């Protein structure tokens, strides 16, 4: 296994297949979004590598599934332990990959460990999730939770190590083997993570293959040896996967995008709510989180007060510190790649239209935002931007921007707030700011979202499910979702 000791050099990373690091074909360059510089290369795999990786995962399946669940748990615990030694290296790679400031990533080391330990504990309990069924005295009915077989986990660029872990830890705990396909925009940390993990697991149990979705996506997801596909990504990719698997249907799990509302009522603690509005969208990875609160619905009676408070907080000196993403003192990173950068900039250009009023922000470009630091001139930097919209019909209120751009929209009544919040093709998350307990419960009941947070936001943890409704997807990366329930009957008369 290789060691990454000099992160400053352009290093070539390989796929992790059947316990070996391999790649013989074409590669592509990985770009640091803070500087626009090439810093690593990753494999652009093709069909032959899809064959190798699916054979490896299939070959390892039976032995892995046949292990006592507790033994699988012991393996997963060792992976958690490994992170104590390697988390810093992995998080630095990810920061160079997708621009999340290291400060944001520091907490991730603990989260990743927790997920492996949670899955390790759950592995031993998976058998207990079967049921016994009363069928009279002549028959004995029961169900077993069984692994699907080979799982393909497809990862987005915004949170590679996190999404790698929630898919791998729970799929493996349930007795599946897994193939991870990271995004072509951020594969390095995942390739290295795969190397480290495959040193711990039996060969073929966990594999990582990098490449474009257009080159290997269809072959991978539609492969006859693949039993389940779990995607975290966009609705467009979910549609392609659904089409590719239509002729040999298999279990699908989709964690997709959002346009989540953060709803502030006049009875809220305004200081706390303004903080919640700010933290919900102006995150340390520049708003590139699926559940970011990009639609800010504020009751008209407190609309100006909340907006003014958010503006004060965001525009005070040093509120947002951009710069070297590996410097723990900086608080907001760039957009993760050039494709997404152009997309976010095009939405910012829209704010010049009469239908919007810019409260703050609206600029982009390393040369504009970091004029004294020439090494960031070609980086993908965007200023946190808040705009007001008169109503919710406009483009910025409806489409997922996936950047540090919030749109504030006024409402008058609770009914209107619920109607506006639910008037979206997405249903991932929602925030509610109120001190009225009855109202909080009414909103929890009526909001069409997989996650509702009251007087808080972004409460995602190993002990909570995370799922969406509508075009935000379905299913949860959990041990149960990586098993099917086998119904069994024994006649005993
Ligand atoms: P994307 O859909 O463009 O890419 C995701 C992955 O799919 C990549 O690895 C890509 O290579 C792969 N892919 C592309 N075409 C494919 C095909 N035909 N077959 C198989 N795989 C294919 O998404 P992205 O731009 O990387 O990520 C951003 C999106 O992810 C946003 O919509 C965001 O909201 C969503 N997201 C959701 C969650 C969640 O938990 N709900 C978390 C993070 C990100």
């Amino acid at each position: 296994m290789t060691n990454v000791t000099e992160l400053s050099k352009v290093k070539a990373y390989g796929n992790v297949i059947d316990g070996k690091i391999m790649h013989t074909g074409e590669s592509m360059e990985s770009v640091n979004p803070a500087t626009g510089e090439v810093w690593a290369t990753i494999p652009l795999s093709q069909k032959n590598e899809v064959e190798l990786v699916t054979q490896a995962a299939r070959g390892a399946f039976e032995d892995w599934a046949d292990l006592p669940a507790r033994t699988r748990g012991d393996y997963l615990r060792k992976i958690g332990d490994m992170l104590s030694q390697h988390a810093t290296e992995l998080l630095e790679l990810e920061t160079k990959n997708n621009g999340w400031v290291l400060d944001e990533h520091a907490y991730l080391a603990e989260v990743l460990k927790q997920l492996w330990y949670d899955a390790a504990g759950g592995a031993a309990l998976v058998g207990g999730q079967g049921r016994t069924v009363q069928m009279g005295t002549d028959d004995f009915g029961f169900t077993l939770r069984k692994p699907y077989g080979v799982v393909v986990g497809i990862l987005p660029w915004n949170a590679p190590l996190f999404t790698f872990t929630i898919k791998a830890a729970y799929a493996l705990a349930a007795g599946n083997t897994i193939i991870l396909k990271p995004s072509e925009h951020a594969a390095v940390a995942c390739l290295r993570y795969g190397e480290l993990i495959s040193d711990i697991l039996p060969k073929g149990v966990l594999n990582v293959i990098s490449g474009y979705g257009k080159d290997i996506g269809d072959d991978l997801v539609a492969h006859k040896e693949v039993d389940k596909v779990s995607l975290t990504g966009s609705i467009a990719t979910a549609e392609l996967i659904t089409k590719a698997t239509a002729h040999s249907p298999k279990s699908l799990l989709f964690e997709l995008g959002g346009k989540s509302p953060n709803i502030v009522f006049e009875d809220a603690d305004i200081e706390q709510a303004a903080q919640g509005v700010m933290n919900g969208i102006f995150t340390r990875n520049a708003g590139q989180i699926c559940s970011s609160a990009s639609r800010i619905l504020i009751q008209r009676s407190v609309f100006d007060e909340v907006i003014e408070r958010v503006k004060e907080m965001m525009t005070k000196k040093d509120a947002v510190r951009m710069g070297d993403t590996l410097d723990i003192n900086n608080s907001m990173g760039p957009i993760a790649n050039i494709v997404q950068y152009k997309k976010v900039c095009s939405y910012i250009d829209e704010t010049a239209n009469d239908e919007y009023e810019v409260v703050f922000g609206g600029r982009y470009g390393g040369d504009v935002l970091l004029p004294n630091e020439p090494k960031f001139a070609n980086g993908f930097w965007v200023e946190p931007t808040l705009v007001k919209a008169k109503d919710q019909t406009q483009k910025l209120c409806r489409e997922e921007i996936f950047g540090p751009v919030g749109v504030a929209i006024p409402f008058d009544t609770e009914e209107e707030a619920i109607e506006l919040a639910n008037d979206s093709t997405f249903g991932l998350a929602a925030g509610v700011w109120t001190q009225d307990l009855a109202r909080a419960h009414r909103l929890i009941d009526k909001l069409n979202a997989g996650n509702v947070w009251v007087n808080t936001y972004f409460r995602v943890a190993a002990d909570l499910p995370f799922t969406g409704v509508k075009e935000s997807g379905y299913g949860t990366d959990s041990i149960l979702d990586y098993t099917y329930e086998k119904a069994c009957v024994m006649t005993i008369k």
Side-chain angles (χ1 to χ4, degrees):
M1 296 287 170
T2 49
N3 263 320
V4 182
T5 46
E6 284 210 43
L7 297 177
S8 55
K9 289 195 178 152
V10 174
K11 179 177 161 50
Y13 287 80
N15 290 323
V16 183
I17 300 179
D18 212 16
K20 296 185 272 296
I21 312 302
M22 56 167 84
H23 180 62
T24 47
E26 271 182 65
S27 296
M28 77 177 273
E29 292 173 334
S30 232
V31 172
N32 181 338
T35 59
E37 282 166 8
V38 173
W39 67 285
T41 66
I42 56 169
L44 272 187
S45 306
Q46 299 298 327
K47 198 176 176 126
N48 61 323
E49 278 156 311
V50 171
E51 280 309 317
L52 289 177
V53 82
T54 47
Q55 276 168 29
R58 174 57 59 191
F61 170 63
E62 209 165 304
D63 285 351
W64 179 250
D66 285 351
L67 284 178
R70 202 169 284 287
T71 307
R72 283 200 301 274
D74 291 343
Y75 274 110
L76 304 189
R77 210 165 283 110
K78 279 186 199 152
I79 300 175
D81 294 346
M82 172 275 286
L83 284 168
S84 302
Q85 216 187 324
H86 290 280
T88 306
E89 174 198 341
L90 289 169
L91 298 178
E92 284 185 6
L93 290 174
E94 182 142 300
T95 288
K96 292 185 86 171
N97 237 190
N98 72 355
W100 278 43
V101 280
L102 203 57
D103 174 24
E104 170 82 6
H105 266 151
Y107 93 105
L108 194 61
E110 276 316 302
V111 174
L112 300 184
K113 258 196 260 182
Q114 263 173 29
L115 289 166
W116 286 109
Y117 294 146
D118 186 56
L125 301 176
V126 69
Q129 301 286 347
R131 297 177 287 147
T132 53
V133 183
Q134 211 280 330
M135 302 188 76
T137 54
D138 293 346
D139 296 298
F140 174 57
F142 61 100
T143 71
L144 297 173
R145 301 300 315 199
K146 298 294 286 177
Y148 282 96
V150 175
V151 172
V152 165
I154 301 184
L155 315 180
W157 45 259
N158 71 317
L161 291 174
F162 179 76
T163 48
F164 181 123
T165 306
I166 51 170
K167 293 185 194 308
Y170 296 118
L172 296 181
N176 304 279
T177 55
I178 192 160
I179 301 166
L180 281 318
K181 197 212 82 62
S183 165
E184 56 277 15
H185 296 299
V188 176
C190 292
L191 291 165
R192 177 67 181 137
Y193 200 18
E195 285 181 32
L196 292 164
I197 293 173
S198 73
D199 275 349
I200 296 169
L201 296 176
K203 66 189 176 88
V205 168
L206 180 143
N207 310 273
V208 189
I209 180 170
S210 131
Y212 281 122
K214 68 178 170 51
D215 290 345
I216 56 169
D218 282 4
D219 288 330
L220 198 54
V221 300
H223 201 284
K224 64 179 183 349
E225 298 294 2
V226 169
D227 302 290
K228 183 173 177 95
V229 178
S230 169
L231 163 77
T232 300
S234 65
I235 180 83
T237 303
E239 199 178 324
L240 291 171
I241 291 173
T242 308
K243 282 184 185 150
T245 55
H247 295 296
S248 64
K250 50 192 75 182
S251 173
L252 302 175
L253 191 164
F254 288 146
E255 299 196 336
L256 310 176
K259 189 75 189 173
S260 300
N262 212 355
I263 311 168
V264 182
F265 286 97
E266 61 192 4
D267 60 51
D269 174 331
I270 295 299
E271 183 63 24
Q272 186 194 37
Q275 193 83 43
V277 164
M278 182 176 83
N279 295 340
I281 179 67
F282 303 122
T283 59
R284 297 162 111 70
N285 75 330
Q288 298 163 97
I289 297 184
C290 53
S291 51
S292 68
S294 51
R295 268 191 304 150
I296 304 155
L297 307 179
I298 307 172
Q299 199 152 21
R300 204 177 300 274
S301 50
V302 291
F303 188 84
D304 290 341
E305 187 185 351
V306 174
I307 295 286
E308 203 41 48
R309 191 66 196 102
V310 174
K311 183 177 175 182
E312 264 171 41
M313 290 191 282
M314 284 299 293
T315 52
K316 75 175 185 224
K317 190 170 180 306
D318 281 341
V320 180
R321 293 181 311 278
M322 291 179 172
D324 186 354
T325 46
L326 292 171
D327 180 344
I328 204 84
N329 295 310
N330 286 324
S331 65
M332 190 180 281
I335 298 298
N337 56 71
I338 182 97
V339 181
Q340 181 63 15
Y341 176 65
K342 286 183 177 164
K343 184 176 155 196
V344 175
C345 294
S346 76
Y347 280 110
I348 289 191
D349 291 343
E350 291 263 334
T351 64
N353 296 347
D354 289 348
E355 53 208 9
Y356 305 107
E357 183 186 328
V358 177
V359 179
F360 56 78
R363 299 178 307 156
Y364 50 78
D367 47 347
V368 175
L369 300 178
L370 295 154
N372 301 324
E373 301 197 65
K375 70 174 173 169
F376 301 122
N378 296 321
F380 313 139
W381 298 91
V382 169
E383 195 171 31
T385 299
L386 181 64
V387 299
K388 293 194 231 175
K390 288 191 193 67
D391 59 47
Q392 207 180 241
T393 56
Q394 280 111 41
K395 189 173 167 181
L396 265 66
C397 308
R398 311 205 66 82
E399 296 180 10
E400 183 184 44
I401 299 173
F402 220 58
V405 183
V407 191
I409 306 141
F411 69 87
D412 289 301
T413 63
E414 184 180 309
E415 292 69 31
E416 192 192 354
I418 294 169
E419 202 180 308
L420 286 172
N422 289 340
D423 178 20
S424 168
T425 53
F426 296 108
L428 192 55
V432 179
W433 301 87
T434 179
Q435 299 201 39
D436 179 339
L437 190 58
R439 167 173 276 164
H441 277 287
R442 285 194 297 273
L443 269 284
I444 288 171
D445 186 47
K446 295 289 175 210
L447 291 170
N448 290 337
N451 306 273
V452 181
W453 298 305
V454 178
N455 296 329
T456 183
Y457 206 81
F458 287 138
R459 293 303 288 269
V460 179
D463 44 6
L464 286 165
F466 184 80
T467 191
V469 293
K470 301 198 277 184
E471 290 184 12
S472 292
Y474 53 82
T476 297
D477 282 306
S478 64
I479 297 184
L480 268 195
D481 269 29
Y482 283 110
T483 62
Y484 68 94
E485 191 170 22
K486 182 184 274 189
C488 317
V489 182
M490 291 167 66
T491 293
I492 50 175
K493 66 179 171 189

